[in-house]
Amino acid sequence: MKQRIITGAAYITLLVGLLALKWFVPGGWGSLGFDALFTAVSVLGSLELLNALKEVSFPQKVITVAFCAIAVPLYVAAQTAMRLGFLAVGICGLLFATVLAGINVFDHGQSTIRGTMTCFMTILYCGVLSVMLSSVNHLAENSTAAIILLFLVVILTDTFAFLVGSVFKKWLPYKLAPKLSPNKTIIGAVGGVIGGMVGALIAYYVYYGMSLVPKFGTPLVYSGTMPAVVSFMLIGLVTSIFAQVGDLFESAIKRECQIKDMGKILPGHGGVLDRFDSMLFGCVIVLFSCGMLII
């Protein structure tokens, strides 16, 4: 528990520092701090996943990790220069997929079809979803609000799910996914959704307070029909559900591989994917909600 608290405190300190960098450094340069974090998530996450699955050859691993290493920087460069970030990553992904298929053909003794499919999944799970994290960081409008929303919703989803599940599991012991994660309960998941909405509410008022700061504050750009705070809470609700699905997906991988944690880089928390599994799924909702649909 002591390790978990220390690592958690360091994690929160890092996020606050990156947020301050994004907020105070003009010209978009401050956003590069989060981009560096998401690149690390992509690379380290791919290594953890490939090491856990143990079904890929060395050439397949090199190509897969190489894509995950360049995906976020490529997106940022193409998006900043031409607003074509996803197109650049898509073309790059097709090229790397072709190389992986070629490796399977010419190194079929060591590089199996199963290994190739594992690499494709790793590219999508670690590489592409990390790009979507970076895309939240580079929204044309409200990117700071979206980042605050995403991190607070995911953090409070995990926290409320744990607390509510721990308190009420004696009276409501019904399991959420007993074959994947026996300790997770339905009441804990409900608590997680409540926590996500609370996180969204806090995110709204934190950003609203920031927007009042002279010179650095930027008002929320909003054209929805309902109050902005209600939109935030609805996004928080759906994001919380997706975040918990991401957590269960990670549990399914670990159950399949018969391991407790994806890695040991974060003492008390496991690996990078153990910390960011919910974030990788939740960012999809925040990206499309804040970028296209509601805000």
Side-chain angles (χ1 to χ4, degrees), residues 6-220:
I6 293 173
T7 302
Y11 174 64
I12 297 299
T13 301
L14 173 64
L15 294 182
V16 171
L18 292 177
L19 181 60
L21 187 68
K22 178 178 174 64
W23 186 24
F24 288 111
V25 177
W29 293 104
S31 299
L32 297 180
F34 276 112
D35 292 328
L37 174 64
F38 300 148
T39 300
V41 171
S42 180
V43 174
L44 296 175
S46 67
L47 288 170
E48 289 176 355
L49 186 58
L50 293 174
N51 289 336
L53 294 172
K54 298 178 181 178
E55 296 177 343
V56 299
S57 66
F58 180 74
Q60 288 175 319
K61 180 180 287 189
V62 169
I63 293 300
T64 303
V65 175
F67 173 83
C68 291
I70 69 171
V72 172
L74 176 63
Y75 170 82
V76 173
Q79 187 71 6
T80 302
M82 301 173 289
R83 309 299 296 177
L84 295 174
F86 281 118
L87 178 61
V89 172
I91 293 173
C92 182
L94 289 174
L95 291 175
F96 273 77
T98 302
V99 172
L100 283 170
I103 290 174
N104 182 256
V105 170
F106 295 106
D107 185 38
H108 192 66
Q110 299 295 324
S111 303
T112 64
I113 288 291
R114 190 178 179 91
T116 301
M117 294 298 105
T118 297
C119 291
F120 287 165
M121 186 188 80
T122 303
I123 283 174
L124 290 173
Y125 182 33
C126 298
V128 174
L129 287 182
S130 292
V131 166
M132 297 187 78
L133 273 173
S134 186
S135 182
V136 173
N137 188 37
H138 288 275
L139 285 170
E141 304 285 355
N142 304 322
S143 66
T144 301
I147 285 287
I148 297 172
L149 175 65
L150 174 61
F151 277 93
L152 279 179
V153 166
V154 171
I155 289 172
L156 289 186
T157 292
D158 290 344
T159 302
F160 273 60
F162 174 76
L163 293 176
V164 173
S166 298
V167 171
F168 292 101
K169 67 180 179 181
K170 288 184 179 180
W171 300 280
L172 296 167
Y174 308 107
K175 303 297 183 181
L176 179 64
K179 292 184 178 180
L180 297 181
S181 188
N183 292 326
K184 288 184 171 60
T185 59
I186 294 175
I187 190 62
V190 172
V193 171
I194 294 172
M197 296 177 71
V198 170
L201 185 64
I202 295 172
Y204 173 79
Y205 284 107
V206 166
Y207 187 78
Y208 179 77
M210 289 169 54
S211 69
L212 300 178
V213 178
K215 186 178 179 180
F216 296 107
T218 304
L220 188 73

